[in-house]
Amino acid sequence: MDLSDCGAPMHTRPSDSVLLSVTGRDGPDTTARLTGLLADAGAELLDVEQGVVQGLLTLALWVRLPEGARVGESLRALPELARELGVTVDVRAVPPAASPEPGPEPLRYVVTATGKALGVRDVHSLTRELAAGNARVERITRLSETPLAAVELHVTLPADADPTALKGALLALSMASPTFDVALQRESLYRRGKRMVVMDMDSTLIRIEVIDELARAYGVHSKVAAITERAMHGEMDYDESLRQRVALLAGLDARVLHDLAANLPLTEGAETLIRVLRRLGYRTAVISGGFSVAAEALQKRLGIDFAYSNALEVQDGKLTGRTVGTIVNARRKAELLETLAKQEGILLEQVIAVGDGANDLLMLEKAGLGIAFRAKPKLREAADTSISAGGLDTILTLLGLTARELREVG
């Protein structure tokens, strides 16, 4: 390596700096020996970035040499050291930048892409949308191991940009592909500082709607489904639709409910999610418009901290067709989330809420991060982010946890 022909001037002004770009075989002492050479030269370290992919090192060192120092003299030993280490070093002068006009800080976001395996087309589609949205990628971090299944991109947007447009573009990208999910989160102190996860039950934590299964067992499924359809079209509110559907279950043997609750089919990733959250000290809760027998069975089975849902009235071992107590509707879900967070001394910004239906919208809006899980388009558009391709354990990736970290917590 001839430093006189490396792109850096032989003499630097006091305000000049030098960028060393190092690529090649990664060794256990590569960074130590390079920084040792710079330290001996009296260099001031301005910035450093390092990454290793499949044993190949990429290292950038931005330094300022002492005033009046000559690059060739100060870094005389660099070519021989580079050959010894098996790396290539490109040295370039960085001219002093003009002082920027004071202004607002750019908006910082984290984009998480997850899937069974992320292909180059997936990454291309994602980065193309980011570029179109004027988002500058500053860093990409791999969260998964082999195969490549999850990456995290740290991006910035101009201070006057509208992140809503970027969110919509990424949502459309995710909806167009059945193989991967893309989530956009504002980078802040609370992104990895979440302390509570609150979930809906039916079609979220479990794969079924309990009331549909009870109705099917009792031979009234078509009638229950018709009421559900009317409610979905706005012909009646949730409370009235629940009363009418529950009324159709009058006379059903309560053992059917208990047997169903004992064998609820969990959604993919549910057990992993709850187990890891518990190990990390998170508080967990089910807040459901479903039924308490099922919610409490899940609470015991998974070790969930809290469970709130509707209680079915039982007399002489049979359902009466009525509920007991306050109905857990959309507004009640949001109230319970807020009350529970306050009770536990947790800020709303530190709460994640997960649901799949319109009845979960207020709860998702109340939380610091609202996740639409395998939801209809309207809820996906309203939520902070969505998961459709992956299981519930994808939430752990949104927290920035790597595969290695997840192995550590078991």
Side-chain angles (χ1 to χ4, degrees):
M1 178 189 304
D2 182 0
L3 289 178
S4 65
D5 191 35
C6 67
M10 293 301 293
H11 182 277
T12 58
R13 297 187 300 274
S15 57
D16 283 346
S17 55
V18 177
L19 179 66
L20 285 76
S21 300
V22 184
T23 57
R25 185 181 69 247
D26 182 42
D29 61 348
T30 301
T31 304
R33 296 185 66 183
L34 287 168
T35 52
L37 183 148
L38 293 170
D40 290 343
E44 175 189 358
L45 184 62
L46 303 176
D47 198 1
V48 60
E49 191 81 28
Q50 177 172 324
V52 178
V53 177
Q54 294 298 308
L56 295 178
L57 169 73
T58 300
L59 170 64
L61 296 156
W62 182 26
V63 302
R64 180 179 291 122
L65 296 174
E67 182 176 352
R70 293 179 179 274
V71 174
E73 293 178 358
S74 299
L75 305 181
R76 182 179 301 142
L78 183 57
E80 180 59 31
L81 178 59
R83 282 191 290 271
E84 186 180 333
L85 295 173
V87 298
T88 300
V89 183
D90 180 69
V91 184
R92 295 185 180 274
V94 180
S99 299
E101 293 294 326
E105 286 287 319
L107 304 175
R108 299 187 178 278
Y109 285 84
V110 174
V111 178
T112 308
T114 63
K116 297 296 184 184
L118 296 177
V120 67
R121 286 195 179 278
D122 296 326
V123 176
H124 165 66
S125 298
L126 175 57
T127 52
R128 181 188 61 202
E129 292 296 340
L130 292 173
N134 205 17
R136 182 182 296 273
V137 179
E138 294 193 337
R139 186 169 78 254
I140 301 178
T141 304
R142 177 176 183 154
L143 300 179
S144 63
E145 295 182 317
T146 302
L148 179 63
V151 293
E152 187 175 86
L153 298 86
H154 291 250
V155 306
T156 59
L157 286 171
D160 58 352
D162 178 12
T164 305
L166 180 60
K167 174 189 170 184
L170 295 180
L171 175 62
L173 176 64
S174 181
M175 292 177 69
S177 172
T179 60
F180 78 110
D181 291 309
V182 181
L184 178 70
Q185 299 181 68
R186 183 71 182 267
E187 179 64 292
S188 72
L189 175 66
Y190 299 111
R191 187 180 75 88
R192 290 192 65 164
K194 297 293 190 292
R195 291 292 176 264
M196 178 181 290
V197 177
V198 173
M199 294 159 283
D200 179 42
M201 179 174 66
D202 298 64
S203 295
T204 300
L205 191 55
I206 59 176
R207 300 196 306 268
I208 62 171
E209 294 283 335
V210 171
I211 194 168
D212 287 346
E213 299 307 312
L214 294 177
R216 190 171 284 111
Y218 203 39
V220 294
H221 182 263
S222 61
K223 295 180 180 179
V224 166
I227 297 171
T228 302
E229 187 71 15
R230 289 180 60 197
M232 289 177 60
H233 285 87
E235 297 176 20
M236 67 176 72
D237 64 20
Y238 177 82
D239 291 18
E240 181 59 27
S241 71
L242 181 67
R243 292 189 190 97
Q244 291 191 20
R245 286 179 291 169
V246 170
L248 291 171
L249 301 177
L252 175 65
D253 194 315
R255 286 181 300 179
V256 176
L257 173 59
H258 287 278
D259 289 345
L260 179 63
N263 296 282
L264 294 169
L266 296 175
T267 298
E268 175 192 356
E271 288 182 290
T272 299
L273 172 66
I274 301 300
R275 183 179 70 253
V276 172
L277 292 176
R278 292 182 64 195
R279 291 288 299 273
L280 294 177
Y282 282 68
R283 305 296 273 170
T284 56
V286 172
I287 300 181
S288 170
F291 303 131
S292 59
V293 172
E296 290 165 7
L298 283 176
Q299 180 183 16
K300 182 177 180 180
R301 176 178 171 183
L302 297 176
I304 295 171
D305 296 304
F306 308 99
Y308 301 93
S309 54
N310 295 305
L312 293 173
E313 186 180 62
V314 178
Q315 290 182 358
D316 300 325
K318 296 185 183 300
L319 304 187
T320 66
R322 296 185 294 270
T323 60
V324 179
T326 304
I327 289 178
V328 179
N329 54 23
R331 188 172 302 279
R332 181 61 177 159
K333 284 188 172 189
E335 291 172 351
L336 286 167
L337 182 150
E338 187 168 16
T339 299
L340 189 54
K342 185 176 181 180
Q343 170 189 309
E344 296 298 307
I346 296 172
L347 299 175
L348 289 176
E349 289 86 350
Q350 295 177 290
V351 179
I352 296 174
V354 190
D356 71 295
N359 202 35
D360 299 309
L361 178 58
L362 297 181
M363 180 173 75
L364 268 58
E365 290 177 340
K366 183 74 67 175
L369 177 63
I371 301 175
F373 182 76
R374 299 180 183 177
K376 292 181 173 58
K378 186 171 293 187
L379 184 64
R380 295 176 67 177
E381 292 168 5
D384 294 317
T385 192
S386 67
I387 297 171
S388 295
L392 281 173
D393 52 348
T394 302
I395 294 171
L396 300 171
T397 304
L398 299 186
L399 295 174
L401 297 176
T402 67
R404 177 184 56 79
E405 290 170 330
L406 293 177
R407 283 203 317 273
E408 290 178 1
V409 296

